[in-house]
Amino acid sequence: MGQVGIWQIAIIAGLLLLLFGAKRLPDMARSLGKSARILKSEAAAMKSEGTAQSNTESGTTEQAPAPKTIQAAPGDVTTARPVEEPKHTTQG
């Protein structure tokens, strides 16, 4: 128990093929890959932003970071777009 065997994977793959069809599965996999890539890049940006912020607090100064851009999949130039930094506002 707890281990997934070949038969379980084959049954799940067959069900997915029946539910979504052969034409939609590659599109779904492609969009899942794009989402994972964006999540990974945003997590890295947040991590580096936190490191830069702690360096600034300790007295070292750095240049302003370049505007961030969400990278599109290779060959897909229509979906790359610049991302604006959120405005830090407080509502009282």
Side-chain angles (χ1 to χ4, degrees):
M1 199 155 129
Q3 294 181 349
V4 179
I6 289 289
W7 287 108
Q8 287 90 358
I9 293 173
I11 290 171
I12 291 171
L15 286 174
L16 286 174
L17 189 62
L18 285 174
L19 287 174
F20 297 110
K23 291 185 178 186
R24 291 206 42 202
L25 286 178
D27 293 335
M28 291 173 63
R30 191 174 301 114
S31 64
L32 183 64
K34 283 181 184 180
S35 299
R37 209 172 305 126
I38 290 171
L39 179 65
K40 184 178 177 182
S41 67
E42 288 298 318
M46 288 175 63
K47 188 175 183 180
S48 66
E49 185 177 292
T51 304
Q53 198 172 43
S54 67
N55 287 342
T56 305
E57 290 173 357
S58 65
T60 59
T61 57
E62 295 182 12
Q63 295 179 348
K68 296 179 185 174
T69 302
I70 295 177
Q71 298 296 322
D76 185 13
V77 295
T78 59
T79 58
R81 63 188 191 284
V83 178
E84 293 185 21
E85 294 293 324
K87 306 287 189 268
H88 295 288
T89 59
T90 57
Q91 296 177 358

